Structure formats: structure tokens, C-alpha cells
Amino acid sequence: MTGALPTTRCDLTVIGGGLMGCSAAIVAAEGGMRVVLIEKADLGSGASGVNAGTLSLQIKRIKLMPYALRGHEIWRAAGNKVGFRETGGLTLAFNDAEAERLSANMAAKRAAGAPIEMLSGAEIRRLEPALNPDVVLASHCAADGYANSSLTGLYYRGLLAAAGVELREHRPVLAIDRAPGRFQIRTADAVIDSSRVLIAAGAWTKPIAAMLGADLPIRVRINTVSVTERCAPLVTAAIGHATGLLTLKQKSNGTVLIGGGWQGKGTPEEGRGRIAPETLLTNIRLAQFALPALGNARLMRVWTGFEPNVPDFYPLAGALPGVPGAYVLACVRGGYTIGPYIGRLMGDLILDRTPELPLFDPVRVMPTQASPNEPISTRSAP
């Protein structure tokens, strides 16, 4: 079946070279496993490398806050190697309805452990005078900031090498064959014979899992990110809006990065998403409303990135139902912040160690495939 293709035998094959797959691979290798990581393109070239780099506790769901807090500490420890900046973050409200919504949301997140305080419009104007003076209320989190997502691949390349993980880039997976206690992962030029496999392929997780007979209910969003030309200093804090439809930050080189989850077009099967002018313009108008001086700046580049999710918008992180020895790690909202930490938890699970925090068992979205012999009791997402 596999012809004369060379075969490599290992303990774990990780499919997907984003920060979650890399983090899990490193933990498994440091725990004594021989690990091969396969990436269909360049390391960190998917969502891990094209997102806006926002590290905000204010935009995380309550149940994910413990994971976000620990992930934030990992980014802080990486420091300049990933362009980490702890600038503080502001989420703005411009009318009474937005202020009421913001107050309720942030009270719950503060109770979950995020260091958030509420500031009046007058306090905001003193702190960030370039913002729209019509702001009536804002939440402030001193821990918020950003990292440079374009450095993700470079950073993890060094960590993978130090851990002894064998990296194979530009190797799309063509098929996964099963034998008793083993998986044969086939690429165009090789077969990897592995006792365990982790699918951490981001927006491409669903078709990879289908190779093992698993039908994961994954959908994909096509998020748009924009960057301006270099500008004079405008804002220090990372800026958001009470609706959750804006992220805005000015980088150290003067450019302003704008996001907020506005949707482009396309599918992962097409390779890259496409810009939707109507949503791009709405995103830019909201950014300019919050920071009027952006009206004088030229937009230099716009791109998209795929974000997978399942119906409950919580992660898929655990054993793949019905396939002993297979695991899946995907669909992590706020994955840039949380990813390094939840990847470490997955590495522990694969090593048969009990993770520090519970994972998010995929069986919950596939209830008819529940197994009575799960490796860790994680049926209920925290």
C-alpha cells in the first residue's frame, strides 16, 4: 500500500505546526517520547502567525479565564523573543446601553480572576487623549497587551529543536491508515509509523479527523486583519469596543493593527481567504470612530486568517472519540493567548499524566460516540 516510501517509527505524530501543536509536541518530547511534527506549509503560517496578536483578558469567556491567565504568563516569560508588550487594554462604551453591557461583562470577568477596573469617560480622556471624547465608560486591564504573531514560527522552531522534535514542513497529510495499536501517516514522500497521533491542524482539523472516521462538527470563520502606515504616537493601550467587534493597537514602529473578527470569504480548502470590502469598511469605520486620527492614515495591507469553532465555542481538546491513541486539539477561541498553555495540558494528557486543569473532551459534541474508557474524566467542559 505504501510502496517504497521510507518509514519513520515514533511514539507521537503531531499534525499541525501552530502554537498549540508545537506546545504539545515539546511537552511530549521532554517527557521522553520520540515526536515527529508534520506541517503542510511553514511552521506557524496558519492562524498562529496571521492573527492580530492581541493578548487580552477582557475578551475571554469566563470559563476560559483560568487558561487565559496561565497562557498570558507564558507569553510574558517569552518576552522580546515574541515581541511581547504589556501595554494595558481599554474596552470602550459610547452610550448607556453599551456601558451597562460592559459593566456586567467585566464584573463577571473580574470575579473570574482578571485584573479589571472601570474608568469614567474623564479618566479615559486623561489616559488616552486621542480617543473619541464621546466615550462614557471603559474597562481597563493592566495585564492586556500583544505579541508579534509573525514571530510565532521562528520562536517555536527553536523550542522544537531544543526538545528534539523532528520537524517536517511542507508535508500535507494524504492519508492515515490504522493497524493494531499503530497509525501510518502518509505524506507524498514518507510514511510515519506512530503509536499515537495528535491532530492540531486548525481550520484543516475536520478533514484530517475524517481520515480516522471521525466527523467533527467544525465550522470556520474567516477573520480580517488590517495594518496602517506608520503614524505619530496615537495610543498606548490596546483598544477594544463593548460589542467585541474591534481590536486596535499601535505597534512600536508606529503602525496601527486593526481587527475584531470581521468576516472575509472563502474556505480552508481554497488555501487563503478573501477580503470582503463591505465588512472591511465597517471595521475601519468603527476603528476610526474610536480613534479619529486614523482618518489621516493610509491602510497598507489587509489579510485574513481562518478560525475554526464548534457549536458551543469551547475548545476541542482531548482523546478523539472511538479512535484509541488519537487526540485532537483545535477550536480554541482566543487561541493566541490560551494556545501555549492548553498545548502543554494536551502534552501531559498524551504522556498519561493528569493535566493541571481539565481539558475539553470532544465527546461532548459527539455524544453517541462516548467511550466508557476515556483516559481522563473530562466530559464536562469547565
Side-chain angles (χ1 to χ4, degrees), residues 41-189:
D42 292 309
L43 197 69
S45 60
S48 295
V50 300
N51 68 88
T54 303
L55 300 172
S56 174
L57 300 176
Q58 297 186 66
I59 60 176
K60 299 299 180 289
R61 300 181 76 180
I62 301 301
K63 292 181 180 180
L64 293 178
M65 192 63 71
Y67 304 81
L69 288 164
R70 288 165 173 81
H72 192 277
E73 289 304 313
I74 293 173
W75 286 113
R76 177 187 281 116
N80 287 333
K81 295 176 182 177
V82 293
F84 176 81
R85 298 290 183 274
E86 195 170 69
T87 60
L90 294 168
T91 302
L92 311 178
F94 290 99
N95 56 51
D96 290 342
E98 290 179 358
E100 182 177 355
R101 175 180 180 177
L102 181 66
S103 296
N105 284 344
M106 295 307 168
K109 293 178 182 184
R110 183 168 56 246
I116 295 172
E117 59 179 341
M118 304 305 294
L119 302 178
S120 68
E123 290 172 312
I124 296 302
R125 286 186 284 275
R126 287 195 295 270
L127 189 63
E128 295 284 4
L131 291 176
N132 188 324
D134 291 337
V135 60
V136 297
L137 185 72
S139 56
H140 176 257
C141 180
D144 284 356
Y146 62 86
N148 185 345
S149 65
S150 65
L151 296 176
T152 301
L154 178 63
Y155 177 65
Y156 275 98
R157 188 181 301 277
L159 296 182
L160 290 169
V165 175
E166 181 181 340
L167 173 62
R168 299 189 183 186
E169 295 174 280
H170 302 280
R171 302 292 198 281
V173 173
L174 303 180
I176 306 177
D177 301 316
R178 295 174 65 184
R182 308 293 298 177
F183 300 90
Q184 283 79 46
I185 298 96
R186 290 192 282 141
T187 65
D189 62 351

Side-chain angles (χ1 to χ4, degrees), residues 226-253:
S226 309
V227 66
T228 72
E229 64 184 333
R230 297 185 180 190
C231 305
L234 300 174
V235 288
T236 299
I239 306 300
H241 184 249
T243 60
L245 295 175
L246 176 68
T247 64
L248 183 157
K249 62 191 73 68
Q250 186 166 26
K251 309 296 280 291
S252 57
N253 66 358

Side-chain angles (χ1 to χ4, degrees), residues 195-285:
S195 59
R196 301 190 184 196
V197 61
L198 169 62
I199 304 171
W204 293 268
T205 294
K206 183 178 177 70
I208 298 295
M211 295 179 183
L212 292 171
D215 184 15
L216 298 175
I218 294 176
R219 305 167 296 189
V220 177
R221 291 165 54 86
I222 307 96
N223 295 328
T224 302
V225 184
S226 309
V227 66
T228 72
E229 64 184 333
R230 297 185 180 190
C231 305
L234 300 174
V235 288
T236 299
I239 306 300
H241 184 249
T243 60
L245 295 175
L246 176 68
T247 64
L248 183 157
K249 62 191 73 68
Q250 186 166 26
K251 309 296 280 291
S252 57
N253 66 358
T255 60
V256 178
L257 203 62
I258 302 167
W262 293 87
Q263 295 299 286
K265 300 177 180 179
T267 65
E269 292 72 25
E270 295 172 314
R272 290 287 184 185
R274 304 185 303 278
I275 307 304
E278 61 276 16
T279 59
L280 171 63
L281 286 173
T282 307
N283 190 193
I284 298 306
R285 286 168 181 155

